[in-house]
């Protein structure tokens, strides 16, 4: 616990933690504001209806969380890569090993801190998104009577659990890539490349790509039940829409496997790596 608290304190002071969270919240707020404007100014009835769905509760709860994951999935990869890569470039891993810390224990607890901050980011972004969506609903004359829907609120923990698993896996993937590369920039670059490459490949080989990390994490979230009969299935932390999805329970297993494999690679690579300089 001492090492975990130390890592959390370190991450709290890292600019990457706050920049990532603010970027997620800022992009989410911007999208919802654009949706609000579109709901009032669109001359296309179908487009106007679609825009208003994002501001109509309780369905807006799920749609806001979907947007959080759609934006946050990639940000989680870059955040995990930034933190893991800095351990090598800044020499903090070397210092920890020099004072007798277990490499594997240090790596896993460092990742645990990253995962906790990604979960905090989900909650903060979701709350900010709900507030802005409620304001947009009020401005658009839709009303917010559905915000207190009991069934929708009771189902939120399930969706947050699925979202937390997806984001934790995304962060672990970036964490592992940067650990192997021993570089923040390489980890971020490769992570982003994998994210978009998987999205493009999903067009041509959906049966295969559905087993890959981002597609699987999207299926985990999509497996959540619709909130209060609201529109749209849970969106995702994946690299985009996929024509073929794993069923929710299988997706949970696949995402868990990717999470464990990513952490195992990061921990074992750190254990066997030559630390010098």
């Amino acid at each position: 616990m001492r090492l975990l608290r130390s890592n959390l304190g370190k991450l709290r002071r890292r600019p990457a933690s706050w920049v990532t969270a603010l970027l997620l919240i800022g992009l989410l707020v911007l999208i919802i504001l654009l949706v609000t404007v579109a709901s009032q100014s669109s001359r296309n009835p179908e487009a106007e209806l679609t825009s208003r769905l994002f501001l109509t509760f309780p369905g807006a709860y799920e749609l806001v969380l979907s947007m959080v994951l759609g934006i946050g999935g990639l940000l989680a990869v870059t955040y995990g890569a930034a933190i893991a890569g800095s351990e090598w470039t800044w020499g903090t891993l070397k210092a920890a090993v020099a004072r007798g810390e277990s490499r594997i224990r240090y790596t896993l607890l460092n990742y645990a801190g990253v995962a906790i901050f990604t979960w905090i980011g989900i909650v903060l972004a979701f709350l900010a998104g709900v507030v802005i969506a409620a304001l947009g609903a009020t401005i658009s004359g839709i009303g917010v009577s559905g915000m207190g829907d009991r069934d929708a609120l009771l189902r939120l923990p399930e969706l947050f659990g699925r979202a937390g698993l997806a984001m934790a896996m995304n962060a672990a993937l970036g964490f592992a890539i940067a650990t192997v590369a021993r570089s923040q920039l390489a980890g971020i670059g490769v992570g982003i490349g994998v994210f978009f490459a998987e999205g493009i490949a999903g067009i041509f080989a959906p049966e295969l790509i559905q087993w890959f990390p981002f597609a699987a994490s999207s299926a985990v979230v999509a497996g959540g039940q619709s909130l209060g009969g609201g529109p749209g299935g849970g969106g995702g932390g994946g690299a985009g829409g996929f024509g073929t999805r794993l069923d929710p329970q299988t997706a949970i297993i696949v995402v868990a496997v990717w999470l464990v494999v990513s952490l195992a690679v990061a921990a074992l690579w750190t254990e066997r790596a030559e630390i010098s300089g």
Side-chain angles (χ1 to χ4, degrees), residues 38 99 124 155 178 201 226:
R99 65 173 182 261
L124 292 178
R155 281 194 288 269
S226 177

Side-chain angles (χ1 to χ4, degrees), residues 17 21 40 53 58 62 71 74 93 98 103 110 123 155 164 168 175 190 194 201 211 218 223-224 227 235 258 277:
S17 300
Q40 294 182 295
L53 291 178
E62 183 177 359
I71 302 168
L74 180 56
L93 174 62
R103 295 188 185 196
N110 191 27
V123 174
R155 281 194 288 269
F175 191 92
V190 173
V194 171
W211 299 94
S218 179
L227 284 170
W258 277 108

Side-chain angles (χ1 to χ4, degrees), residues 176 256-266:
V257 169
W258 277 108
L259 174 62
V260 171
V261 169
S262 296
L263 293 181
V265 168

Side-chain angles (χ1 to χ4, degrees), residues 4 11 26 59 74 80 98 116 124 129 141 175 203 208 216 227 229 248 252 271:
L4 179 59
L11 291 177
L74 180 56
I116 289 171
L124 292 178
F175 191 92
I203 300 173
L208 175 62
L227 284 170
I252 289 175
E271 177 68 17

